Amino acid sequence: MAGMEEIFGINVFNDSVMRQRLPKETYRALHKTIDEGRRLDLEVASVVANAMKDWALERGATHYTHWFQPLNSVTAEKHDAFISPLPGGAVIQEFSGKELVRGEADASSLPNGGLRSTFEARGYTAWDPTSYAFIKDRVLCIPTAYCSYGGEALDKKTPLLRSMEALSRQAVRILHLFGRMDATRVTPTVGPEQEYFLVDKDLFDRRSDLIFAGRTLFGSKPPKGQELGDHFFGTIQTRVQAFMADLNEELWKLGVLAKTEHNETAPAQHEMAPIYSIASVACDHNQITMEMMKKVALRHNLVCLLAEKPFEGVNGSGKHNNWSMFTNTGYNLLEPGDSPHESAQFLLFLTSVIKAVDEYQDLLRASVASAGNDHRLGGCEAPPAIISIFLGDELTEILEALEAGAIYSGREKTDMTVGVHALPKFPRDTTDRNRTSPFAFTGNKFEFRSLGSSASVSDANVVLNTAVAESLRQFADELEKSDDFRKKLHDLIVRNIHEHKRIIFNGNNYSPDWITEAEKRGLLSLPTTVDALPVYTAEKNIRLFETHKVLSGSELRSRRDIGLDSYAKMINIEAETMLMMSRRQILPSVLRYAGELSASCTNLKAAGASLHCGSDLLDELCSETDNLKNRIDSLAKVIARKPDTDPETAAFYARGEVLPAMKVLRESADHLERITDRAFWPFPTYDELLFSVQ
Ligand code: ADP
Ligand code: MG
């Protein structure tokens, strides 16, 4: 294997390649566009396109594509060859500035939530120059945003870029109030930790539920699960190690800063964390990471499962979204800082996040909602469906002292007046972290832990950036008017801590007492996707997104509807898969076994043996098989009656009628699995799936 330095970024048209290959003026003009978030001039684009094409051809590429992230959370690409005909039957390979900057996507079968019907069927894609072009499978991929001709966002990238702008605009106002006139841009940074499962491909191929739903719909808990805690950080299995080495190499070539890898809590579960980057790039890189995990796994005869809950009874997979804000001068705004001035600024930005999470807890919950993630949230393994913030005891005590106007008497006694005193040193030891909290301060960043493992990180960061932008907007409006900045700042921080401290909770988020306590505090509990997604169009939330020009009312409605529609469709696919497996595999297998069992009993009796357990077992088998058949019929009826009206009705029906029918069908099947001869069971069971990869 080549050294990491040699391969890192070799398939990326990155800054150093641009510097090498572009004329000086073009390089400078492109940089200006990137740094200032401006539109790219067509002349500049033509020069860049040509250099990009030459570079791509040298690296064996034959096609290019506008690579984008439609609303169904996958990445989309349509490949075009660089080919252009010449008179006389010859061809040349061309790529124009126009083709680089803007593409037309007749993507009428991609979800649009009703947005496109009022406009043209086509949408267009536009290059996002903040994210480098790269080569994947001999195709030059140009990261793009995807909009309708009316300018409405039809993808996950557009609102993310808009939310980054909004956050920057407001954060810079605040920094100017602190006299930091050199700050001209603030950029959110994201480091998403990605969890996944690996299973053997031969076993995977024999399970329709894994093939169609990405998760098991049947399966009895194996004798050993994760109770010994021996998998987390355990020695990595040889096959998995080979997969990880291969994955790292592929990711490094694509400029993804893959850094940490380890085994996770559940058997067969693993994690990869990259070094953080700006939010839009982190989002692209996470999509690439998921795609590569799937591809590389296949080379090792493994399948990578990204579903949130592939197995019942062991932990599911999520994504921890580490988030902070950096100035263009390289300063982390969530770093506590040493001087009174820096402390005051830190406290203000910290307060802006506390206020944002409290006021938009509904949106944060909605941003992670999906059929798959519902099986995780609130399951006493992942963060709960109730959003709260963990700050740690010391930082909480500091805020309490501030609010009470008292002296903070931690390890150092400090009279706390914002802007006058520095923060006392509080430990930022990673070991005292509360892993049950959905939203935790971890020293110089927040970690939002509720994201599902298969989701794009875009939705959560759009909400986070915009909600914090709104806090900062209100703070800036108030502070800009004041003649005594320091006093006003102190009052504003104290008032906001007082108003929003209910969102801070440092205890055990899995404890049932917390649910009662959270309710007392007036925090929202939105247990399922169906409860959560409609909040996207609550009046206060439309106002938030419209104020910051991130999403319009109709864009929000389309996102809510697509989410509800996918939820209902996913559950329907799962229900149909269960019917297929139970009718054509489980039922016939169990009947065959019962037949053989009955024959054995008859033979034994004929031979004069006195045996009772055979008929007991036969009774148990037969009565559960009857249950199974009844439950199959009930589920079939429920599916047949499913409403075909609007997405919300369909989603409500899926949750209220289909899921409960699936649950009882599974109970019968899992009971049968436990009492049926293994040789008769028609597909691999949990013990094989979870422990076969060595
Ligand atoms: P742990 O693995 O213990 O949760 P790490 O410090 O290793 O903590 O961070 C995990 C993730 O957080 C990594 O992806 C890392 O790059 C990211 N991260 C660290 N600092 C920041 C930051 N300031 N902004 C965004 N992400 C960050
Ligand atoms: Mg972490």
Side-chain angles (χ1 to χ4, degrees), residues 593-605 609-624 675:
Y593 173 53
E596 180 162 310
L597 184 63
S598 146
S600 300
C601 291
T602 314
N603 290 344
L604 285 167
K605 236 186 227 150
S610 106
L611 180 87
H612 302 290
C613 70
S615 56
D616 288 352
L617 181 54
L618 198 56
D619 284 347
E620 191 179 343
L621 263 179
C622 291
S623 76
E624 194 62 272
I675 56 173

Side-chain angles (χ1 to χ4, degrees), residues 326-346:
F326 276 76
T327 63
N328 55 310
T329 52
Y331 190 85
N332 179 354
L333 296 175
L334 292 177
E335 184 72 54
D338 296 322
S339 67
H341 195 71
E342 283 174 353
S343 288
Q345 189 186 294
F346 163 74

Side-chain angles (χ1 to χ4, degrees), residues 328-570:
N328 55 310
T329 52
Y331 190 85
N332 179 354
L333 296 175
L334 292 177
E335 184 72 54
D338 296 322
S339 67
H341 195 71
E342 283 174 353
S343 288
Q345 189 186 294
F346 163 74
L347 285 172
L348 186 71
F349 280 102
L350 180 76
T351 309
S352 76
V353 180
I354 295 171
K355 173 178 159 72
V357 174
D358 185 29
E359 288 181 342
Y360 298 102
Q361 29 174 310
D362 54 347
L363 278 176
L364 284 168
R365 169 64 185 94
S367 76
V368 300
S370 70
N373 215 17
D374 278 2
H375 300 295
R376 255 179 98 232
L377 299 180
C380 284
E381 50 157 287
I386 302 167
I387 302 286
S388 65
I389 298 182
F390 169 83
L391 285 183
D393 291 339
E394 313 247 4
L395 191 51
T396 306
E397 279 164 29
I398 289 168
L399 296 189
E400 279 166 358
L402 253 176
E403 188 201 355
I407 289 182
Y408 169 70
S409 52
R411 355 199 121 198
E412 304 158 49
K413 273 199 190 322
T414 317
D415 166 15
M416 297 282 306
T417 308
V418 174
V420 180
H421 299 286
L423 281 181
K425 290 269 166 282
F426 57 93
R428 288 196 268 120
D429 184 5
T430 50
T431 51
D432 82 334
R433 283 191 197 170
N434 179 340
R435 301 215 164 256
T436 70
S437 175
F439 201 96
F441 183 69
T442 45
N444 58 6
K445 60 179 160 70
F446 276 99
E447 193 172 331
F448 185 23
R449 303 193 175 120
S450 311
L451 286 75
S453 47
S454 68
S456 157
V457 298
S458 167
D459 295 347
N461 287 292
V462 167
V463 170
L464 196 49
N465 295 340
T466 314
V468 174
E470 175 59 15
S471 300
L472 295 173
R473 182 186 74 82
Q474 291 181 23
F475 290 179
D477 280 356
E478 198 172 325
L479 294 171
E480 280 167 0
K481 281 195 219 103
S482 141
D483 12 311
D484 186 349
F485 176 68
R486 203 192 270 173
K487 174 163 188 327
K488 190 86 187 179
L489 179 66
H490 179 89
D491 293 348
L492 183 142
I493 290 176
V494 169
R495 192 182 74 237
N496 276 282
I497 293 170
H498 181 72
E499 281 171 11
H500 301 293
K501 64 180 176 192
R502 64 171 186 166
I503 198 78
I504 299 167
F505 178 65
N506 295 322
N508 177 6
N509 292 70
Y510 298 166
S511 132
D513 296 345
W514 168 233
I515 298 180
T516 329
E517 164 71 17
E519 200 178 327
K520 250 192 253 152
R521 294 188 187 191
L523 299 183
L524 275 176
S525 175
L526 302 169
T528 73
T529 297
V530 182
D531 308 299
L533 283 180
V535 310
Y536 266 118
T537 47
E539 207 184 310
K540 82 175 214 309
N541 295 336
I542 295 182
R543 203 178 325 121
L544 169 77
F545 285 118
E546 290 195 336
T547 302
H548 294 278
K549 301 192 168 47
V550 172
L551 287 166
S552 67
S554 53
E555 287 169 330
L556 285 163
R557 267 186 292 283
S558 83
R559 266 147 228 266
R560 177 201 63 192
D561 286 351
I562 289 168
L564 289 167
D565 185 54
S566 318
Y567 173 87
K569 283 184 176 146
M570 191 65 225

Side-chain angles (χ1 to χ4, degrees), residues 146-392:
Y146 173 47
C147 291
S148 77
Y149 270 87
E152 279 135 326
L154 293 171
D155 68 345
K156 305 250 173 195
K157 191 63 167 297
T158 307
L160 181 59
L161 292 169
R162 292 180 189 158
S163 72
M164 290 164 70
E165 279 302 315
L167 181 69
S168 180
R169 217 176 297 131
Q170 304 304 334
V172 165
R173 285 175 71 194
I174 298 282
L175 289 168
H176 287 180
L177 286 166
F178 277 92
R180 294 193 184 270
M181 307 315 283
D182 54 345
T184 53
R185 262 190 102 69
V186 167
T187 314
T189 49
V190 170
E193 300 164 54
Q194 175 73 49
E195 293 178 336
Y196 59 96
F197 280 84
L198 288 176
V199 297
D200 189 274
K201 182 160 188 309
D202 297 337
L203 300 177
F204 171 94
D205 286 340
R206 291 166 51 207
R207 294 213 41 147
S208 306
D209 47 3
L210 287 179
I211 293 170
F212 293 117
R215 71 180 190 102
T216 56
L217 300 166
F218 298 105
S220 184
K221 194 183 166 317
K224 176 176 187 285
Q226 63 190 43
E227 49 281 270
L228 295 178
D230 52 354
H231 194 253
F232 188 64
F233 282 6
T235 313
I236 298 174
Q237 303 84 335
T238 315
R239 267 178 89 186
V240 176
Q241 187 65 66
F243 158 83
M244 286 176 172
D246 213 0
L247 174 68
N248 284 336
E249 193 173 325
E250 291 298 338
L251 291 177
W252 290 337
K253 282 189 203 161
L254 290 167
V256 178
L257 294 156
K259 181 169 167 70
T260 313
E261 57 194 26
H262 61 81
N263 284 353
E264 256 302 330
T265 309
Q269 191 184 30
H270 314 280
E271 180 185 297
M272 194 289 281
I275 296 173
Y276 66 89
S277 45
I278 69 169
S280 51
V281 171
C283 180
D284 285 356
H285 281 183
N286 185 250
Q287 295 296 121
I288 293 174
T289 300
M290 291 193 286
E291 182 181 333
M292 281 302 150
M293 282 177 164
K294 290 195 167 264
K295 278 197 178 141
V296 172
L298 289 176
R299 287 187 212 154
H300 296 261
N301 203 40
L302 296 167
V303 176
C304 172
L305 303 178
L306 289 171
E308 282 73 18
K309 190 77 182 177
F311 303 100
E312 212 173 78
V314 295
N315 275 10
S317 300
K319 244 187 277 248
H320 289 178
N321 189 83
N322 294 273
W323 178 93
S324 185
M325 299 169 267
F326 276 76
T327 63
N328 55 310
T329 52
Y331 190 85
N332 179 354
L333 296 175
L334 292 177
E335 184 72 54
D338 296 322
S339 67
H341 195 71
E342 283 174 353
S343 288
Q345 189 186 294
F346 163 74
L347 285 172
L348 186 71
F349 280 102
L350 180 76
T351 309
S352 76
V353 180
I354 295 171
K355 173 178 159 72
V357 174
D358 185 29
E359 288 181 342
Y360 298 102
Q361 29 174 310
D362 54 347
L363 278 176
L364 284 168
R365 169 64 185 94
S367 76
V368 300
S370 70
N373 215 17
D374 278 2
H375 300 295
R376 255 179 98 232
L377 299 180
C380 284
E381 50 157 287
I386 302 167
I387 302 286
S388 65
I389 298 182
F390 169 83
L391 285 183

